[in-house]
């Protein structure tokens, strides 16, 4: 994923999240979203509950959507005074995707957080 740098900081095993952390992207929020979409993430178009963020998710594996990925991209450029734009956000992996049959397991994981 060209342009991204990642910092993996923790996991939330109680929510079925294995690696979790933050990222920086060398470009605008729109360019970060386009790069995620090219990598197989789906834009949630405001369906999520993370204000000020654009959410991108994968469908995960199998009918229950296990091991899905989730990126939250800041909607405002992090350093607007820099000549090269940069965007930040957070991400985690390993949970069940809310995009299909895994929605019920995903909701259960959210409740257990």
């Amino acid at each position: 994923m060209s342009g991204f740098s990642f910092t993996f900081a923790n996991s939330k095993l109680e929510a079925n999240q294995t690696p979790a952390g933050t990222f920086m992207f060398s470009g605008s929020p729109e360019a970060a979203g386009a790069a995620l979409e090219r990598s197989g993430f789906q834009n949630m178009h405001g369906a999520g509950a993370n204000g000020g963020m654009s959410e991108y998710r994968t469908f995960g594996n199998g009918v229950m959507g296990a091991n899905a990925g989730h990126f939250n991209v800041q909607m405002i450029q992090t350093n607007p005074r820099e000549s090269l734009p940069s965007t930040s956000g957070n991400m985690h992996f390993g949970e069940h995707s809310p995009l299909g049959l895994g929605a019920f397991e995903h909701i259960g994981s959210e409740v257990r957080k």
Side-chain angles (χ1 to χ4, degrees):
M1 292 179 56
S2 181
F4 284 89
S5 63
F6 303 97
T7 302
F8 292 98
N10 64 315
S11 62
K12 294 180 185 173
L13 297 179
E14 70 278 6
N16 293 324
Q17 296 174 5
T18 46
T22 59
F23 70 88
M24 291 293 298
F25 178 77
S26 58
S28 68
E30 295 79 18
L36 288 168
E37 288 176 348
R38 286 191 302 274
S39 296
F41 287 80
Q42 304 296 313
N43 186 334
M44 298 300 291
H45 298 288
N50 294 301
M53 304 276 199
S54 293
E55 291 191 62
Y56 296 84
R57 293 182 176 273
T58 62
F59 283 96
N61 301 324
V63 296
M64 295 303 286
N67 297 313
H70 181 194
F71 276 76
N72 293 309
V73 178
Q74 290 278 349
M75 293 178 4
I76 298 174
Q77 191 173 301
T78 306
N79 296 310
R81 294 183 187 158
E82 292 182 1
S83 59
L84 295 174
S86 63
T87 301
S88 63
N90 60 65
M91 77 288 182
H92 56 263
F93 303 92
E95 67 184 359
H96 285 81
S97 175
L99 300 176
L101 293 178
F104 297 107
E105 180 63 32
H106 180 81
I107 292 166
S109 295
E110 291 293 313
V111 170
R112 289 190 296 270
K113 282 186 188 176

